[in-house]
């Protein structure tokens, strides 16, 4: 099948024409002696107007108010109060607004949901004595809090029982996201991450206004989620991982807890059960899923493409129905990711029939199918989503650099994408050479892979969806997603090292208007985030492309 071959080729000979990175240095432009307030908010807001008056000091006594009865505004107010105050005594009081009050306040107010503000947008106006926050929906209030958080010094992130000086510059910000989907994928199958570590990533995503957590919950090396109707998947199939040591899984209640924790931060969990390939852990747990009926051994290596559930047995679809049904019941979000990548043992027609049947099962359980780009071989329904991990080559005149088989594969992928788009399918962009966050930062990064190239802090950030996916109509692009495939690392410490700083760039690609994105500005703002990461204990790669200011 064409996908499988090209994948092999693409992994080993992936486009390295991907920009040679110029290391430019940007000297500060302000005249000597001048003091200008610069903001370091990431993602860059749509508009921000700074005035040079005295800052609002959030460490002085103040109230946080909300329109009476507005529970979402009150909830956002409590998140902010918790950030500002270290002790009960220093946490600002959160209370319904009183129009007669003249005290210093941060007021959360419900705005009409007009076209400009949208459900995730917000407006912040800071003066010396008052801050107003207007949003049309709960997410907008929450994102406004994350912006206020980043307007305060990194000190705000430290837990300590003293009053922290917390100046917030006078500024008016109008903001809303460009894309709906601002995602991160955690591969908890190759190496298992306990639920507490997943929650840590949820916290870090929230700081950057990301809103989709895609969990890669099964692969050849392990099955990571309890399926009540199929207990052997976890009793047996979860007991391995790459390298053999460890393994593990989330119980139903742990998974539900992750989903709730994410929802409180406006993050939707997208569960992935990869199929028909990447299924060895299931094949080792339920022998009837194999065409020969023989159970497979658990697998601890890193090869891909060798496994598949049997596409011609009814038992396979009974199994898939059980698994999707159980996961759908514990997942309030609208998506179910079926993987669909790197299948080397099925014919094209077997693959297509399989995906189309699974799409019906997903829809019967009330969810929308998401799959890696190979699923576009099948006839996809409107509302399904395709996650593109390869650019639609040749896009920008580098045809000569492409060998003919890859150019043909690219042309075929492009045709499939166009057909799917015409059917109402939307796309999630995860170009491997840019935002596969498991790629090394430079050739000597000790962990990480390099099959898609080296992806430094600049290459990962400095591109436009239109550059590589120009053929897709803008309205068919749901957004972007960075991936942390974990063949080459195991601990949350290492997951963080690969994610930071690049995850902040993915967040900005997803949120900020292209007009508000450029490398010099981003590089300057990013330099201020190291101190925040240090306060939060984030293990990040100190890229020499950034003049860290901490
Ligand atoms: C590709 S692209 C994969 C994963 C690997 C990853 C490593 C795609 C959908 N699958 O199976 O873990 O590369 O970078």
């Amino acid at each position: 099948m064409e996908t499988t071959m090209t994948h092999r080729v693409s992994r080993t000979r992936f486009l390295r024409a991907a920009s040679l990175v110029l290391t430019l240095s940007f000297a500060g432009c302000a005249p000597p002696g001048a003091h200008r307030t610069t903001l370091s908010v990431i993602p860059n807001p749509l508009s921000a107007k700074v005035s040079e008056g005295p800052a609002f000091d959030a460490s002085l006594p103040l109230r946080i108010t909300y329109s009476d009865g507005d529970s979402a505004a009150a909830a956002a107010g409590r998140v902010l109060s918790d950030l500002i105050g270290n002790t009960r005594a220093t946490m600002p009081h959160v209370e319904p607004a009183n129009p007669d009050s003249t005290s210093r306040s941060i007021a959360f107010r419900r705005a009409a949901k007009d076209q400009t503000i949208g459900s995730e947008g917000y407006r912040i106006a800071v003066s010396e004595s008052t801050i107003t926050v207007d949003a049309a929906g709960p997410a907008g209030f929450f994102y406004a809090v994350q912006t206020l958080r980043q307007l305060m010094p990194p000190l705000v992130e430290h837990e300590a029982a003293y009053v922290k000086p917390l100046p917030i510059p006078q500024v008016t910000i109008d903001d809303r996201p460009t894309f709906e989907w601002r995602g991160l994928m955690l591969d908890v199958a190759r190496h298992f991450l306990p639920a507490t570590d997943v929650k840590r990533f949820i916290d870090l995503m929230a700081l950057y206004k990301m809103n989709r957590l895609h969990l890669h919950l099964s692969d050849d090396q392990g099955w990571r989620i309890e399926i009540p109707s199929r207990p052997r998947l976890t009793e047996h199939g979860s007991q391995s991982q790459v390298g053999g040591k460890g393994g593990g899984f989330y119980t139903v209640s742990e998974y539900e807890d992750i989903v709730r924790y994410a929802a409180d931060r406006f993050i939707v969990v997208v569960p992935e059960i990869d199929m028909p390939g990447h299924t060895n852990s299931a094949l080792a747990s339920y022998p009837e899923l194999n065409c020969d009926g023989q159970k497979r051994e658990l697998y601890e290596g890193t090869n891909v493409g060798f496994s598949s559930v049997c596409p011609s047995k009814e038992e396979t679809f009974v199994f898939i129905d059980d698994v999707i049904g159980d996961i759908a019941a514990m997942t309030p979000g609208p998506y179910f990711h079926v993987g669909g990548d790197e299948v080397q043992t099925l014919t094209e027609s077997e693959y297509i029939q399989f995906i189309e049947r699974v799409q019906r099962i997903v829809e019967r359980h009330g969810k929308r199918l998401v799959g890696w780009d190979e699923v576009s071989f099948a006839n996809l329904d409107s509302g399904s989503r395709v996650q593109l991990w390869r650019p639609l080559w040749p896009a920008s005149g580098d045809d000569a650099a492409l060998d003919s088989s890859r150019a043909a594969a690219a042309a075929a992928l492009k045709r499939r994408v166009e057909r799917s788009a015409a059917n109402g399918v939307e796309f999630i962009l995860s170009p491997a050479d840019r935002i596969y966050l498991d790629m090394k930062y430079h050739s000597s990064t000790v962990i990480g892979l390099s099959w898609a190239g080296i992806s430094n802090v600049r290459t990962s950030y400095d591109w436009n969806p239109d550059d590589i996916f120009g053929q897709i109509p803008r309205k068919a692009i749901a957004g972007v997603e960075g991936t942390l495939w974990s063949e080459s690392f195991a601990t949350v410490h290492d997951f963080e090292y690969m994610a930071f700083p690049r995850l902040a760039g993915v967040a900005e690609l997803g949120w900020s208007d292209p007009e508000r994105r450029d490398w010099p500005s981003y590089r300057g703002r990013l330099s201020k985030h190291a101190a925040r990461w240090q306060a939060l204990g984030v293990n990040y790669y100190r890229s020499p492309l950034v003049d860290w200011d901490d």
Side-chain angles (χ1 to χ4, degrees), residues 12 59 77 110 177 239 250-251 266 276 292 301 318 329 343 411 443-444 480:
T12 44
S59 60
R110 189 66 71 134
Q239 301 299 305
Y250 311 120
T251 61
F266 300 91
D292 63 9
V318 175
V343 182
S443 55
S444 52
V480 295

Side-chain angles (χ1 to χ4, degrees), residues 58-65 74-95 104 106 156 158-164 166:
S59 60
L60 296 177
L62 64 99
R63 292 161 204 274
I64 295 178
T65 68
R78 283 193 293 272
V79 174
L80 181 61
S81 170
D82 206 31
L83 263 171
I84 292 174
N86 286 312
T87 64
R88 242 189 287 280
T90 54
M91 279 172 63
H93 214 249
V94 183
E95 58 194 35
R104 303 173 74 254
I106 303 179
V156 75
H158 284 278
E159 294 292 341
Y162 54 79
V163 177
K164 304 175 275 195
L166 296 174

Side-chain angles (χ1 to χ4, degrees), residues 7 11 187 190 278 304 341-342 372 389 436 438-439 449 451 485 487:
H7 185 72
R11 280 239 205 153
D187 172 8
R190 268 56 175 272
H278 290 273
V304 296
D341 57 317
E342 304 183 307
W372 297 105
W389 54 274
Y436 264 31
D438 61 319
M439 294 299 125
L449 306 179
W451 66 265
W485 299 102
E487 287 100 324

Side-chain angles (χ1 to χ4, degrees), residues 122 374 429 455 496 545:
Y122 63 90
E374 290 94 324
L429 311 183
S455 171
E496 283 176 14
L545 300 181

